[in-house]
Amino acid sequence: MLIIRKFIGFVFILAGFIYSQNSDVINSLSHTIKVYYSEVFSVQSNDVKLKFIHVPEINLDREYSVIPKRKKKLGHQTIWIEEKDTEKSLPITLEVSAYFPVLVSNNTISRKEKLKSDMFTKNRYLLNRDFNQYILDIKELKGSMASQVIKKGKALTTSMVKTHPDIHKGELVGVELVSGNLILETKGVARKDGYLGHRAEVILDRTGKKVFGEVVNINLVRVVLN
């Protein structure tokens, strides 16, 4: 019985030693990795949250740096660190999250309503692998509208926004029919949303004929006839 107690005590001491070693390794790497991600995502290092899944054995007396990745990524991933003097590289598997100032709607926004900066307030959200789905910069809203109803207090994502069209599906638009030097002005109904400089499909109001032209102005399509 005494032998068993001594063995159990030894196991606890060994486990405590191993945990202490792992803790020292994680603490040593954590600051370096947080600084790396803070620079990649332009946030404060204390806004970066790490959960280590697999950590290699390292020499605590040596200096390590993160090998930069081409793709900006949060969530579950494997990164590589490099020992400064030997240039030896080692993998670390971890979960990365970070706090970002996300745009949140002040009030409910109707579908197809033009989006303006005063409709939103920035709130801190802890984001993970879904980082790219959220809109963080108010400048991204220029020329855009709601693609769906956005409820009050909802964080804005890319799926809720689309570019505001210069002509709207189903609306009456001006049409210029151009044949050489001759220009005939008429009206038509847009078959789809259209954008400046892009091709649009229109049903002429008088004849019902389907024509294709270029959106040259707001609610104006120019059709060049052969």
Side-chain angles (χ1 to χ4, degrees):
M1 192 70 173
L2 181 61
I3 295 175
I4 295 174
R5 288 180 179 176
K6 287 182 178 180
F7 176 74
I8 293 173
F10 173 75
V11 169
F12 273 108
I13 292 172
L14 180 62
F17 175 75
I18 293 173
Y19 175 82
S20 176
Q21 289 291 100
N22 286 342
S23 180
D24 289 341
V25 169
I26 289 173
N27 289 337
S28 176
L29 294 174
S30 183
H31 175 71
T32 299
I33 296 173
K34 283 186 175 183
V35 168
Y36 166 75
Y37 279 102
S38 71
E39 293 173 352
V40 169
F41 290 98
S42 300
V43 297
Q44 298 296 319
S45 59
N46 57 3
D47 284 335
V48 179
K49 305 301 176 185
L50 306 175
K51 180 182 177 182
F52 290 91
I53 298 169
H54 171 74
V55 180
E57 293 184 8
I58 66 168
N59 187 335
L60 293 174
D61 295 326
R62 295 186 180 275
E63 185 177 346
Y64 293 83
S65 61
V66 177
I67 299 175
K69 301 178 68 174
R70 291 182 181 180
K71 186 177 180 181
K72 295 171 64 173
K73 181 182 177 183
L74 291 176
H76 185 278
Q77 58 192 286
T78 297
I79 63 173
W80 291 79
I81 58 171
E82 184 178 74
E83 199 278 311
K84 186 176 180 180
D85 295 327
T86 64
E87 296 186 352
K88 179 182 179 181
S89 58
L90 298 166
I92 299 177
T93 304
L94 73 172
E95 189 86 18
V96 186
S97 304
Y99 282 98
F100 292 90
V102 175
L103 296 177
V104 176
S105 57
N106 298 326
N107 296 289
T108 298
I109 301 170
S110 303
R111 182 173 177 269
K112 292 189 176 181
E113 187 173 350
K114 286 186 177 181
L115 299 179
K116 301 176 183 178
S117 59
D118 59 3
M119 293 178 172
F120 301 91
T121 300
K122 286 190 174 183
N123 288 350
R124 289 175 81 247
Y125 272 63
L126 183 63
L127 303 184
N128 197 271
R129 69 180 70 184
D130 54 356
F131 160 74
N132 289 323
Q133 297 177 17
Y134 288 85
I135 296 178
L136 311 179
D137 192 344
I138 203 75
K139 294 178 182 178
E140 293 182 42
L141 300 182
K142 185 178 180 181
S144 65
M145 69 178 191
S147 60
Q148 63 183 67
V149 174
I150 303 173
K151 294 183 178 180
K152 179 180 179 180
K154 195 74 173 177
L156 193 63
T157 63
T158 53
S159 64
M160 301 176 185
V161 176
K162 71 175 185 177
T163 304
H164 195 282
D166 297 293
I167 62 173
H168 294 267
K169 178 183 177 180
E171 289 188 348
L172 196 65
V173 297
V175 180
E176 288 183 350
L177 300 175
V178 180
S179 179
N181 295 325
L182 180 64
I183 299 176
L184 176 64
E185 295 183 357
T186 185
K187 298 287 185 179
V189 177
R191 291 288 302 274
K192 296 180 181 179
D193 288 345
Y195 301 90
L196 195 65
H198 291 267
R199 192 168 182 253
E201 182 181 346
V202 179
I203 301 297
L204 296 180
D205 194 36
R206 292 182 181 178
T207 64
K209 183 179 179 181
K210 180 171 66 175
V211 294
F212 294 90
E214 180 186 350
V215 180
V216 294
N217 209 332
I218 296 176
N219 293 328
L220 180 61
V221 177
R222 179 176 294 149
V223 178
V224 178
L225 303 174
N226 294 328

